[in-house]
Amino acid sequence: MNLDKQQAQELIDFIHESPSTYHAVNNIREELNEAGFQELDLREEWTLEKGGKYFTTKNGSALFAFVIGKGEIEEEGFQLICAHSDAPGFKIKPNPEIAVEGNYLKLNTEVYGGPILRTWMDRPLSIAGRVSVKSNDPLNPEHLYVKIDRPLMVIPNLAIHMNREVNEGGALNKQKDMLPLLAMITDEMEKDNCLVNLMAEELKIDAEAIIDFDINLFEVEKGCILGLNEEFISAPKLDDLAMSHAGLKALLASGESKKTRMLAIFDNEEVGSLTKQGAGSPVLRHLLQRIVFKLGKDMEAFHRAVYNSFMISADMAHAVHPNGTEKHDPTNRPYINKGPVIKIHANQKYTTDGDSGTVFETLCKNAEVPYQKFVNRSDLVGGSTLGNVSTGQVDIRTVDIGNPMFAMHSVRETGGVKDNVYIRKVFTSFFGL
Ligand SMILES: [Zn+2]
């Protein structure tokens, strides 16, 4: 297998093993552990030293990994790449079992973020996430991760004969049309506790021990490489596990440097980032402060470090769509496999400006990687991302970038094999400065 395909396959494998934010963070955690990074607990006292490799997690769904530079932190600053662990989809509601006419058992769900609803229909789905169980300390329940590794449910479409307008773009009701079918009801079934029983069985614990859960649906089918020349990656959640994965690989590949390098993977980007583990919280600022103080420096040094820092806010971007070429800006036309995309917005939903854009362009040139630019059509409203939210908490020079892709927020997204290689190269050279 050539390098391009091998790296694409690594990404596909990572995504497949990461059906929830908790699993994504845990998989990154394991790779960092293997690479000799030391895990730090936010609640414990830390001892840090120059050249040391560390990471910490928050809520099990956000992760911050850093390598402390050999130079003076107030002069060298931080080199940051941030991305997010979450993706739009469906969360299971409490008391989820709904019996239909004594025959079908379906589950009640709530939409998380902004998925393209129709793409979730007729797909084998399963569940993954975090289960909270009784412990001796009422303030600190134990958390277990669960992932049911088999097709478990489906959200069936209505037949076209019962919904003749289906191809005319009829709306789907989130409460009525999108509930997954889990089983045919049988006499032996304890249907009111079906889901908790299933998770307890999977975890080999007592069902009564499960107090609460944060569980989401996921698509069971693994991603793949496709295209005549095997040039595309088809997978769930490229937004934003592709950037999280590339950032991790770059951090692992980085050698000694004067600069302190950090990979920040936030949760809850898809719902506005204003959670304790999101980019809108003070978590990153607190961490940067803590690192500076633990190196024996003061507040003045922290401020100097911040103003000597640079952040790459890495979230995916929209490639010109083969069936929707008119949806893009007339003069900025990003395509798949033509390199990472610098995202620009006059009203600053993206943080990029001439200064930070130039930094990223220079990084690409030095890494011999092509790059492209994205600007919304002036009559279309685009999305937002991590950069501008994060700079509200800590005012670091930031550029918003991401790899080009199709079908953002579909259950199955499409990106480029070459773009995955390019972004890893650019991130690696950034962390190698
Ligand atoms: Zn995203």
Side-chain angles (χ1 to χ4, degrees):
M1 203 187 289
N2 67 29
L3 180 75
D4 295 10
K5 271 183 70 182
Q6 185 194 318
Q7 292 197 353
Q9 198 56 51
E10 283 173 18
L11 172 60
I12 290 166
D13 293 347
F14 170 72
I15 291 173
H16 188 62
E17 294 302 317
S18 305
S20 77
T21 55
Y22 307 102
H23 289 85
V25 162
N26 202 43
N27 291 332
I28 294 172
R29 185 172 164 266
E30 279 174 10
E31 279 208 50
L32 290 167
N33 269 326
E34 265 171 43
F37 280 67
Q38 184 190 334
E39 183 160 9
L40 301 167
D41 189 321
L42 288 169
R43 297 167 297 187
E44 305 283 327
E45 169 134 29
W46 293 0
T47 308
L48 305 179
E49 51 192 53
K50 286 182 178 176
K53 304 193 280 185
Y54 308 94
F55 73 96
T56 190
T57 62
K58 187 151 190 213
N59 188 50
S61 62
L63 181 143
F64 306 87
F66 51 97
V67 182
I68 299 187
K70 300 269 186 184
E72 298 308 311
I73 197 145
E74 66 274 25
E75 288 162 13
E76 303 295 341
F78 294 93
Q79 305 282 96
L80 287 135
I81 293 175
C82 68
H84 66 90
S85 62
D86 63 322
F90 296 84
K91 277 197 77 176
I92 307 279
K93 284 183 177 174
N95 309 308
E97 292 86 1
I98 300 175
V100 182
E101 301 184 1
N103 278 295
Y104 301 118
L105 190 68
K106 62 181 185 180
L107 293 181
N108 197 3
T109 60
E110 189 169 12
V111 172
Y112 176 84
I116 303 177
L117 295 177
R118 206 167 285 288
T119 63
W120 281 78
M121 309 196 88
D122 306 322
R123 306 231 173 201
L125 304 171
S126 189
I127 53 167
R130 179 177 72 173
V131 170
S132 301
V133 301
K134 259 185 215 151
S135 81
N136 295 328
D137 176 359
L139 289 177
N140 290 296
E142 198 188 333
H143 299 300
L144 303 171
Y145 298 154
V146 66
K147 169 178 138 196
I148 310 256
D149 254 331
R150 64 183 169 98
L152 202 58
M153 51 188 114
V154 65
I155 307 171
N157 252 303
L158 267 175
I160 196 163
H161 317 86
M162 295 163 187
N163 184 16
R164 291 281 182 195
E165 290 78 46
V166 63
N167 293 328
E168 319 309 322
L172 290 166
N173 182 299
K174 292 174 185 170
Q175 183 62 63
K176 184 184 176 307
D177 299 321
M178 300 308 297
L179 303 187
L181 172 68
L182 176 66
M184 294 301 296
I185 294 174
T186 61
D187 292 341
E188 307 81 57
M189 190 183 271
E190 195 195 338
K191 61 179 186 303
D192 292 339
N193 281 314
C194 205
L195 189 78
V196 166
N197 288 342
L198 174 71
M199 294 192 295
E201 196 181 306
E202 181 74 20
L203 292 166
K204 301 188 173 54
I205 58 171
D206 223 12
E208 280 90 69
I210 297 179
I211 311 289
D212 212 337
F213 50 79
D214 301 280
I215 298 291
N216 57 266
L217 304 185
F218 72 92
E219 188 208 19
V220 175
E221 195 188 340
K222 191 172 179 174
C224 62
I225 299 171
L226 63 83
L228 180 62
N229 298 306
E230 301 186 304
E231 61 266 63
F232 302 114
I233 299 173
S234 166
K237 301 191 290 190
L238 290 174
D239 171 17
D240 190 28
L241 291 184
M243 294 297 100
S244 302
H245 182 255
L248 171 69
K249 291 297 175 192
L251 188 66
L252 293 175
S254 67
E256 264 190 19
S257 169
K258 285 184 183 171
K259 297 177 185 299
T260 296
R261 289 142 286 165
M262 180 184 276
L263 172 68
I265 297 176
F266 298 102
D267 192 5
N268 301 126
E269 190 275 341
E270 300 294 352
V271 293
S273 294
L274 287 171
T275 62
K276 63 189 184 305
Q277 58 276 359
S281 80
V283 59
L284 178 63
R285 173 160 41 91
H286 289 165
L287 278 171
L288 301 183
Q289 251 173 23
R290 196 163 173 178
I291 292 168
V292 171
F293 293 169
K294 275 290 160 186
L295 293 171
K297 311 274 173 148
D298 60 8
M299 200 62 175
E300 169 81 358
F302 167 69
H303 289 306
R304 288 182 63 200
V306 165
Y307 300 130
N308 278 313
S309 296
F310 191 85
M311 183 194 283
I312 297 177
S313 160
D315 201 351
M316 298 298 272
H318 307 297
V320 170
H321 192 284
N323 300 329
T325 53
E326 75 285 359
K327 296 286 184 190
H328 273 255
D329 180 67
T331 62
N332 293 284
R333 317 284 295 169
Y335 299 105
I336 298 272
N337 287 335
K338 299 285 167 84
V341 178
I342 302 170
K343 302 192 278 188
I344 299 151
H345 186 243
N347 298 304
Q348 290 291 292
K349 274 194 178 165
Y350 300 134
T351 49
T352 311
D353 56 20
D355 169 60
S356 63
T358 300
V359 171
F360 191 77
E361 289 183 50
T362 309
L363 288 172
C364 288
K365 281 179 182 149
N366 291 348
E368 296 176 341
V369 160
Y371 59 89
Q372 320 179 71
K373 293 186 180 176
F374 174 87
V375 195
N376 284 304
R377 264 185 75 106
S378 300
D379 51 2
L380 283 184
V381 181
S384 173
T385 178
L386 297 159
N388 61 337
V389 178
S390 174
T391 49
Q393 286 293 336
V394 51
D395 48 336
I396 293 175
R397 291 160 75 207
T398 303
V399 66
D400 272 298
I401 61 100
N403 267 349
M405 62 177 284
F406 303 134
M408 191 177 283
H409 295 191
S410 169
V411 75
R412 194 82 180 197
E413 299 170 331
T414 303
V417 167
K418 275 221 148 38
D419 290 325
N420 183 51
V421 175
Y422 290 145
I423 200 73
R424 281 174 64 162
K425 260 179 110 173
V426 181
F427 285 175
T428 304
S429 81
F430 175 61
F431 276 156
L433 286 175

